[in-house]
Amino acid sequence: MFKLFKSKEQKIADARAEIEKTFQDFMEGEGRLPEGFSEPYIRITSFGLVLNDTPFKAYLDTIKADVDRLNDDTGISDWFYLDESVEINAAAVAISDWVKRYKEMETMLSEKACIDRKTTVITPAFRHCGGKVMVVIDNKRRYEGITEESIERCKAEEISFCTVLSDCKLYDLIEHKEKEITYVTYPNYHDETYANWSFK
């Protein structure tokens, strides 16, 4: 019995070490954003926690000031910026491959974490790709050179490109549609006011 117990403990330790190394290697290699992409829309708290923000923080802060809690109902988990150093189709291929690989790695580590039916090792937290990915570009005309193949690759991984029109509006280049921030408020159980915001 003791040997069986030690064997299981060793399996857990080995799995944890392998997962942590695989995660670290990925984040220092393939997990880095492709060339031309960056994350200007993030905040780091005093505790070192990284929060994904949006290009509309100033406007959303005015809504937050009037409610007790503001919930993001857009389905967008990541806001990235694409500079002009990379051609649009090359960028579309790179970001779609990156998102796909990111999701594959998260799935693979979750599978490695299952030691048996009753034992699961806690995996490191992946910060990206929990929902849609929105890529901000400055020049709408730059997007005109994108091919249908590139668009389909992005759609398959829930990626879109946009330009920011104002403090509360964007133009979704894949959907060819202008969208504006809207929100609805509702009471919570404790006499608080909550709000959900999205794009319409």
Side-chain angles (χ1 to χ4, degrees), residues 38-119:
S38 60
E39 298 179 86
Y41 317 112
I42 63 169
R43 282 182 297 131
I44 301 176
T45 69
S46 57
F47 302 106
L49 181 65
V50 179
L51 302 175
N52 290 346
D53 238 324
T54 78
F56 308 100
K57 183 181 183 308
Y59 180 78
L60 293 171
D61 282 348
T62 64
I63 301 173
K64 282 182 184 177
D66 294 328
V67 297
D68 296 293
R69 179 171 172 176
L70 181 62
N71 300 308
D72 185 339
D73 207 21
T74 63
I76 301 169
S77 61
D78 300 278
W79 291 83
F80 298 132
Y81 175 77
L82 175 64
D83 64 33
E84 296 191 5
S85 66
V86 183
E87 188 270 332
I88 193 67
N89 287 291
V93 169
I95 195 65
S96 58
D97 285 349
W98 180 84
V99 169
K100 183 177 181 181
R101 184 68 182 123
Y102 208 99
K103 292 175 180 175
E104 287 172 348
M105 180 59 68
E106 188 170 13
T107 300
M108 185 192 78
L109 291 189
S110 294
E111 289 171 354
K112 282 182 178 289
C114 295
I115 307 302
D116 55 40
R117 288 187 301 173
K118 295 181 180 179
T119 310

Side-chain angles (χ1 to χ4, degrees), residues 167-185:
D167 64 344
C168 62
K169 289 183 183 179
L170 63 77
Y171 188 84
D172 190 311
L173 292 158
I174 283 189
E175 294 185 20
H176 303 287
K177 186 177 180 182
E178 185 176 308
K179 298 179 179 180
E180 184 173 1
I181 290 176
T182 63
Y183 65 96
V184 292
T185 60

Side-chain angles (χ1 to χ4, degrees), residues 102-185:
Y102 208 99
K103 292 175 180 175
E104 287 172 348
M105 180 59 68
E106 188 170 13
T107 300
M108 185 192 78
L109 291 189
S110 294
E111 289 171 354
K112 282 182 178 289
C114 295
I115 307 302
D116 55 40
R117 288 187 301 173
K118 295 181 180 179
T119 310
T120 302
V121 175
I122 296 174
T123 58
F126 281 83
R127 191 164 62 85
H128 296 301
C129 306
K132 297 176 185 176
V133 172
M134 185 65 79
V135 179
V136 178
I137 62 174
D138 291 327
N139 191 341
K140 182 180 175 182
R141 281 180 293 180
R142 187 172 165 217
Y143 182 80
E144 292 171 2
I146 198 165
T147 65
E148 194 60 37
E149 180 183 356
S150 295
I151 292 171
E152 290 306 313
R153 286 179 72 113
C154 289
K155 285 182 177 178
E157 301 301 333
E158 294 188 282
I159 302 165
S160 195
F161 289 79
C162 77
T163 55
V164 174
L165 301 178
S166 73
D167 64 344
C168 62
K169 289 183 183 179
L170 63 77
Y171 188 84
D172 190 311
L173 292 158
I174 283 189
E175 294 185 20
H176 303 287
K177 186 177 180 182
E178 185 176 308
K179 298 179 179 180
E180 184 173 1
I181 290 176
T182 63
Y183 65 96
V184 292
T185 60

